[in-house]
Every structure is written in structure tokens, then in C-alpha cells.
Amino acid sequence: MLPESALEGLGSRPFGIYLHVPFCATRCGYCDFNTYTAAELGSSPGASRTTYIDSAIAELDLARRALGPAAPAVSTIFVGGGTPTLLAADDLGRFVDAVADRFGLAPGAEITTESNPESVDAAGLARLVERRFTRISFGMQSTVPHVLATLDRVHSPGRPEQAIREARSAGFSSTSLDLIYGTPGESLEDWRASLEGALAAAPDHLSAYALIVEDGTRLAARIRRGELAAPDDDDLADKYLLAEEILTAAGYAWYEVSNWARSPAARCRHNLGYWRGDDWWGIGPGAHSHVGGTRWWNVKHPAGYAERLAQGVSPGYAREVLSPADRHVERVLLELRLADGLERSVLTASEKTRIPAAVGSGLVDHAADRLSLTLRGRLLADGVIRDLLD
């Protein structure tokens, strides 16, 4: 059940479905996502890749009942992980079919899957297109062997670039590569080589994320023991500026602080839904959802997730109903990260009085009644937003 407040206006905002696939072939040393290798899961319920989609479809049925007759057609589907393409293309396609059957797909729906480039081949990519996938995002992280080794990232040199070519030949309408910068031991020239390697594949979209050292990861343990140096803020800033310089020169435009696209059509519409506060239902263990100011999240372990659904019980673990103040803060926080910026009218009277200082410091542009971050403002985005908010 969802509170009545969550269902108010349902259908007036774009609606997306996220599917979390919690399986990985190996665990990368920097990753703290809710993912599991076969050895970690063993033979526990929910561990089978072949039956996982059945559990996901059971939650999809629950979503359809909870949202009721006003449930809109789905504008975007995003399959993330983990490594979604460890599942068979036909299983992923079966999930897309289930979404179409329960909700319907909006015209021109964007249907994305993430992938480790080692987990797919040309035939599998072609089958994904046959099963209605339109967009694919490959985890590349770096082209430099010693950087990949520090991240415990496994892929063959040149494989991400080859995977992009195969995806394009298979008929995907949009392709993307994910990069990480700031890995201990990565030089500025290493980062340049990764950017240039990614551009050589000519993807439609590129994401570049600063490395965050998460507690509990192997990377955090190595830094704590003094084996590796922690990421340096000045180094991260230099690498972000280099990314902006190189990607802009190659014809890519930023549309969110960490994301660049070759055209507006190549922007990830599903992720834009997160940043704009749209509605989405997250399917899978640990997945988060948001509908009409109500946010909830599922139990994290695949065994508990599968067991609850087998018993006809919601896999939801906890939820919160956001207050108007919470929703205001989140709107400012997320929309200011976008190149399109934030409408000035969203701010409170006292927040508006802080605009001149932000503009005078060269952190914010104020034009046509919208605020947007300057390049320097992007480097200091969290601080800019913190100083602006009441």
C-alpha cells in the first residue's frame, strides 16, 4: 500500500522502472553496491540467475496492484547492477515484456541495460535489441592497466571499445561508457589516455565519476593500511577540468555534473527522471523507489527478497514520506546539478537573497530567471548548494 499523497498526480509525471540485478562474476575492490558473486551467494534461495526474473516479475505485479488504475505507461526502463548481462538476453527481455503487459510502454520508451563489456558478445547484443532494448551503458572505468588493477577491474584491453562497435552494429540507438577518475596511482596523463580511448570508440554518451572510497571495500582497507594514497581533492579537480576540456572539444556537452552527451537525444532520460524528481519503482533486492514524495527501499539480500515474494509479502524494508521542506531541499540539490539549471521561483525569499553572492563569486550563472552552475561552480557544487539553501 502507498499513502494517498503518493498517488496524487500519478501519471502527470514521467514514470520509470528500475531493475536491480545483484549478480557479478567478481567483486571490484572499490565497489560497495548491493551485489554478490556466486561464491558469496552459494545455494541460498534467490541465488539462481535462471529464476531471478521470476521474482522480479512478482514484484512488478505488486507494483501494478499498489499503483492502481491511475498507473501510467512506463517511459523508461533501466536495468542496472551488478552485471545485468550475466542474465540471458531472453530473461531480460521477458522482464521488458512483463512491464509492457502490466503497464504499457510510452511511445519511444528508453530501455537501457548496463553491462560489463566482458559479459556480452555480438550475438547477445543483437538479441537484446530484438528484445526491445534501445540503449546500453558499458563500464569501462579506465584504459590503463595499472589503474584497472588497482580497482580490481577485469576486462581485456580494447574490449569496451569493441563492445561499443558491436552494440552499434547490433542496432542500439544509444551507447554509453562509464569512466572513473582519481584512482590511487593514476596520473593526469593516465586519465587523458582513458578519455582519449573512450572517445576513440565514439559513444553517444559518457559518464565520468570521481572515485569515492567507500568504507568496507578492499580499496578502503588498502588505503587505511597505507598501501595506497587516498584520492586528493586538487587532483580530482584537475581531472574533472581535463574531462570537460577534452569532451567539449570532441563535441560532447555536459547536461549533469558527471555526464556528457553528443546531443540532447543521447542524454539518459531515466537518470534525468531521478534528478528531476519524477516517479520510479525500483525492482530487486536493495532497490529504491520514489512515487509522489514517498520513498522506500527493499530488503538487501537476494535470499530475503525472493523469500518474501514467494510468500506473497512485499519485499519493502522501510519507507519515508518526504515533508515539503525535504522535497524543496532535494529539488534544489538535484536540479542545480543539471545544465538546464533551476527556476529562480523555486527558491524561498531568503534563499533568493544569496543569489548575488553566488553569482559574484563566479559559481552560478543567473539568466532568464534560471540558475545554473558555472564550470567552477560544478567543482564546488555541494558547497554552492549548501550555501544557497536555508
Side-chain angles (χ1 to χ4, degrees), residues 107-386:
E110 175 192 86
I111 304 176
T112 301
T113 185
E114 293 181 330
S115 178
N116 183 312
E118 298 287 355
S119 67
V120 287
D121 57 21
L125 291 166
R127 187 60 179 154
L128 285 168
V129 172
E130 291 171 1
R131 298 308 301 261
R132 296 197 270 195
F133 281 85
T134 65
R135 185 176 181 277
I136 191 162
S137 180
F138 293 107
M140 183 179 196
Q141 320 316 352
S142 175
T143 62
V144 179
H146 78 84
V147 174
L148 292 170
T150 299
L151 294 171
D152 294 316
R153 185 75 183 176
V154 179
H155 63 65
S156 306
R159 176 56 197 157
E161 300 93 318
Q162 182 184 10
I164 288 285
R165 291 190 290 271
E166 290 173 352
R168 191 176 294 115
S169 296
F172 278 93
S173 58
S174 187
T175 58
S176 181
L177 286 173
D178 284 356
L179 297 170
I180 288 178
Y181 60 92
T183 300
E186 178 191 60
S187 68
L188 196 62
E189 289 310 304
D190 289 335
W191 176 231
R192 183 188 297 275
S194 291
L195 289 165
E196 291 175 349
L199 288 175
D204 303 290
H205 182 282
L206 275 161
S207 299
Y209 299 108
L211 177 68
I212 298 174
V213 180
E214 303 286 2
D215 290 341
T217 61
R218 284 200 300 272
L219 181 62
R222 294 184 67 190
I223 290 173
R224 188 172 58 251
R225 291 193 298 265
E227 297 175 14
L228 298 170
D232 175 78
D233 287 344
D234 290 337
D235 177 66
L236 293 174
D238 288 343
K239 287 172 179 171
Y240 184 87
L241 293 173
L242 183 62
E244 170 67 10
E245 175 189 336
I246 289 177
L247 296 179
T248 299
Y252 293 77
W254 80 282
Y255 69 97
E256 191 276 338
V257 168
S258 299
N259 290 272
W260 290 258
R262 296 177 78 174
S263 69
R267 297 174 179 179
C268 180
R269 287 161 42 203
H270 185 86
N271 286 344
L272 279 168
Y274 296 153
W275 296 314
R276 290 175 174 162
D278 292 340
D279 295 334
W280 71 89
W281 193 295
I283 303 281
H288 286 232
S289 303
H290 171 266
V291 175
T294 294
R295 180 187 293 125
W296 69 96
W297 48 97
N298 288 344
V299 294
K300 291 187 70 172
H301 200 279
Y305 173 79
E307 182 180 0
R308 287 194 180 202
L309 286 164
Q311 295 173 354
V313 176
S314 167
Y317 176 74
R319 79 176 182 193
E320 60 179 342
V321 178
L322 301 175
S323 68
D326 291 333
R327 297 183 75 175
H328 171 76
V329 168
E330 291 199 359
R331 183 172 182 184
V332 175
L333 176 71
L334 295 172
E335 289 190 23
L336 256 183
R337 293 182 62 87
L338 297 173
D340 291 343
L342 175 76
E343 290 184 12
R344 184 179 186 276
S345 60
V346 170
L347 299 176
T348 66
S350 59
E351 288 167 348
K352 289 173 184 174
T353 65
R354 303 184 186 114
I355 293 173
V359 172
S361 299
L363 301 172
V364 170
D365 283 328
H366 184 201
D369 237 19
R370 298 188 74 86
L371 305 179
S372 59
L373 296 172
T374 64
L375 177 55
R376 182 164 174 264
R378 281 187 264 162
L379 295 174
L380 303 167
D382 290 346
V384 174
I385 294 163
R386 184 174 58 247

Side-chain angles (χ1 to χ4, degrees), residues 5-22:
S5 62
L7 301 178
E8 293 175 4
L10 185 65
S12 64
R13 300 171 296 272
F15 179 57
I17 296 284
Y18 172 75
L19 171 64
H20 182 65
V21 177

